[in-house]
Amino acid sequence: MMTAIASPIVAEPPLRATLEAADLRTPYGQWQLQQWRSRKDAPLARFVASPERRHALLTRLYQEARLAGLPPDLVLALIQVESAFNAEAVSSAGAVGLMQIMPFWVEELGLPMDDLTDPNRNLRYGCTILAHYLAIERGDFTRALARYNGSLGKTWYPERVFDAWQNHWR
């Protein structure tokens, strides 16, 4: 009689699984991306001069937002408020890049070589973190945005993001 040896099951944290999830592309999804990108190109031009950089940023932002279940326009508004689309931005608190990610998240979610000034990596972290906070807050964008900013219980930050969303990206 053979005895089965049970191997330990190691559960990955949900944020890590989301962070590493593969992009899903379909023809319809590509069409939606192209339509969205063409609508957002002109408003983004006031922040990002290069058409190539705008195209790349909008493409990646859309993919990351959709992967995380977030409205891409909200992510644009958050980036406008956080860094004004400056991928090299560093806040006085030490937050880095487009979405102003705190470096402790690299230890929590990523690999030591993750560069938070890399727009692609920064978008992956930022969208993943915001989606996590949105899940914790059961879909309440005001509370999720306040958590993202570290100002839970206050509304000044979510109001700034909502204002940018309404006035520039919708």
Side-chain angles (χ1 to χ4, degrees), residues 33-128:
L33 165 61
Q34 290 169 358
Q35 296 299 308
W36 180 82
R37 195 174 45 217
S38 70
R39 289 191 309 271
K40 302 308 170 184
D41 187 70
L44 186 58
R46 67 182 248 226
F47 297 101
V48 179
S50 163
E52 294 82 15
R53 285 190 53 226
R54 284 196 309 273
H55 184 273
L57 177 61
L58 287 169
T59 299
R60 186 60 180 244
L61 184 149
Y62 184 86
Q63 291 170 337
E64 294 298 340
R66 299 295 284 210
L67 180 65
L70 299 171
D73 294 355
L74 175 68
V75 176
L76 283 167
L78 185 146
I79 294 170
Q80 179 183 338
V81 169
E82 286 288 350
S83 68
F85 296 90
N86 177 1
E88 303 291 324
V90 178
S91 76
S92 59
V96 178
L98 292 172
M99 295 186 75
Q100 291 292 277
I101 307 303
M102 291 298 289
F104 74 82
W105 283 108
V106 172
E107 186 175 316
E108 184 77 21
L109 298 176
L111 301 170
M113 75 280 285
D114 281 349
D115 178 4
L116 294 176
T117 63
D118 171 54
N120 293 338
R121 206 67 191 147
N122 194 278
L123 288 167
R124 174 66 56 99
Y125 272 80
C127 289
T128 300

